[in-house]
Amino acid sequence: MKVALFQVKSYEGVEEKIREGIEAMGGISQFAKKGDKVLLKPNLLGFYRPERGITTHPSIVKAVARIVRECGATPIIADSPGMGISYTQCSLKKLYEVCGITMIEEAVLNYDTRTSKLGHFEIIRPVIDCNLIINIPKLKTHALTVLTGAVKNLYGLIPGLSKLSYHLTHRDTESFSRLLFELLEVIEKPQLAIVDGIIGMDGDGPMDGNLRNVGVIIISDTPILADLIALKIVGIPCSLLPGHKKRQDLLKSAELFGDPLSRLILKEPFILPKSIPSCEWLSFLKPLLTATPVIRKDCNGCGTCVNVCLQGAIRLEQGRASIEDRLCIRCYCCQESCPNQAIALKRSILYRFILRITKTRYYRIFEKIYHLTRFPINPFWGKVEDFKGRLWERLRCLRR
Ligand code: SF4
Ligand code: SF4
């Protein structure tokens, strides 16, 4: 398992580093040969121009397409946009135009909107037809999964509105993370991950956060490894991502190439989203602790969020959206889908209280409780210990 990382300050000249990284993996011929179909999967979350920093930058996708072409394979760019956008030829056309993908002459743009079954997942057709997937995520925070990197980017292979139904069955960070790893396993195609971390996003990602000049490109033959390295660079504890935490030992066997990791680690770590990673067996605490979606003044009543919320928690009232908190399961699909970024996350009173304490000397009391309590290891108390550890990491992150 290999990872190549490079400091890259701007999108100009990024191709050279991508070539160097792929060479470190053994060269593109290790992954694709003449006549193969190679699926390039950028993060095209919605109709956003590249300068917004929400979608994978087209310069990176173009560079990858050119490298794939050179080995005689056909690069096919495909993605299904985020919540609220249906998977139709019409929306794909608009998506490619707005995201700057149409300028990539080296690749074929996917307009085949047929879907197939892969395990229990409905999946877009190019996944079935391709020989290799090059996963090109954007490095961002995410309200539900904490980070959106290579593993989360695969969720875009589930077509359009089908994505929504999984939020009803996988409501918390833990079970949603399990779902993502199930998807990763079921795909069973060789993969190469190339993370666009030149401009990243922290705070309330994946679309309402702050742009950050992270200045890195991460290339790996193992998507989880690319994410684990990304977490180190942006200073997010792995313990906040349950699926990644279970696999963090992969780092020990990773071969690193390129610039030293220590040089790329951000001095100011990423600000976490206001939501809190939730745990399925303590779901009763969720309404008390997690952030609530709230409608801002900018809402123009377009109704996208109403269609996205399968809980029926959002209604339009006097030309504006309104959320019924009692019905909300904190899946944050509405926040991700609002085209006007008119849905913000608001921390709960209890969370704000805890946050305030973490900034005072009473924080030391928490620290003492944490270090003095050790729950006996058995299946139940092991979970308590695990959750406690995660909350503790979270508190430590709030202090910075
Ligand atoms: S909150 Fe956003 S998605 Fe919902 S109606 Fe308002 S503008 Fe549209
Ligand atoms: S209102 Fe609540 S349940 Fe509905 S989409 Fe938003 S976060 Fe999910």
Side-chain angles (χ1 to χ4, degrees), residues 164 167-168 291-293 295 305 308-314 322-325 327-335 337 343 345:
L164 293 171
H167 284 278
L168 287 183
T292 321
I295 308 293
C305 58
V308 158
C309 180
L310 293 189
Q311 279 291 103
I314 312 182
S322 146
I323 298 177
E324 195 168 341
D325 193 52
L327 298 176
C328 174
I329 56 167
R330 316 303 199 247
C331 66
Y332 306 120
C333 295
C334 52
Q335 186 234 5
S337 66
I343 301 182
L345 299 183

Side-chain angles (χ1 to χ4, degrees), residues 136-155:
I136 320 175
K138 187 85 181 160
L139 181 55
K140 298 184 290 182
T141 46
H142 191 279
L144 179 64
T145 60
V146 185
L147 178 92
T148 165
V151 175
K152 171 69 176 65
N153 193 37
L154 294 174
Y155 199 58

Side-chain angles (χ1 to χ4, degrees), residues 59 74 106 128 157 179 191 244 253 276 350 377 387 392:
S59 314
T74 307
E106 294 82 351
I128 309 294
L157 298 176
L179 178 82
Q191 287 193 45
H244 289 75
S253 47
I276 191 162
L350 179 59
I377 303 300
F387 185 65
W392 180 244

Side-chain angles (χ1 to χ4, degrees), residues 373-375 377 380-390:
T373 55
R374 279 281 175 269
F375 293 100
I377 303 300
F380 179 72
W381 288 114
K383 280 188 172 182
V384 175
E385 191 65 27
D386 180 55
F387 185 65
K388 193 186 75 170
R390 235 176 316 145

